[in-house]
Amino acid sequence: MEFRGAKLILFLGDDLLILRRDHAEGIPWPGYLDFPGGAREPGETGIDCALRETVEEVGLTLPPEALSWQKLHDGLWYFAAHLPAERVGDVVWGGEGDSWMMMSPEEFISREDAIPHFRTMLRGYMDLRAAG
């Protein structure tokens, strides 16, 4: 199945690990809040892409079975994973973007500086979890 990249909705405890995009020339959504993830490399599956990008951007290695949800939408694979809050101590900033931070899902959804279609995807995921 063709896709251009993957994103990971990554919970560390109750909060999300969020990236602030940089202002590099030609980058979409400069300065906006983002999820770990990025462009697909040749031959990668969506899972491979999400897991590789997460290691590159925040230094966290996850096994594929840590991914608890997936959805392909508009050429991007979205995944979710829930790890213990203690894993925040394992984050190693990879230097892509301006910074990383922890944030509640509700705050991300409400932020005007969060990428709009990611806010929508997170809202749908949270509604699905709430419905059980």
Side-chain angles (χ1 to χ4, degrees):
M1 184 172 305
E2 284 303 308
F3 66 99
R4 66 181 184 281
K7 291 290 179 176
L8 179 59
I9 299 169
L10 180 55
F11 287 84
L12 302 177
D14 293 333
D15 289 333
L16 292 168
L17 191 151
I18 300 296
L19 309 180
R20 167 89 56 198
R21 294 176 69 79
D22 60 29
H23 291 83
E25 183 77 24
I27 192 172
W29 302 103
Y32 274 69
L33 300 177
D34 193 1
F35 300 132
R40 175 189 197 186
E41 291 187 354
E44 278 187 321
T45 66
I47 292 171
D48 293 339
C49 180
L51 296 179
R52 175 187 51 78
E53 287 282 347
T54 301
V55 170
E56 290 176 5
E57 293 178 347
V58 297
L60 293 177
T61 301
L62 284 74
E65 56 271 14
L67 304 178
S68 58
W69 172 85
Q70 65 184 32
K71 181 174 184 168
L72 179 62
H73 178 75
D74 197 25
L76 278 181
W77 273 108
Y78 294 87
F79 298 94
H82 295 258
L83 301 179
E86 302 81 56
R87 292 294 306 269
V88 171
D90 297 334
V91 173
V92 177
W93 179 239
E96 290 186 40
D98 281 346
S99 60
W100 70 275
M101 65 198 78
M102 297 302 296
M103 180 180 296
S104 73
E106 296 79 15
E107 181 179 352
F108 185 88
I109 290 167
S110 71
R111 295 280 295 256
E112 292 297 318
D113 61 344
I115 296 174
H117 49 287
F118 295 172
R119 293 168 53 195
T120 301
M121 189 60 60
L122 177 59
R123 184 179 304 112
Y125 174 70
M126 297 302 292
D127 289 347
L128 185 67
R129 281 185 55 87

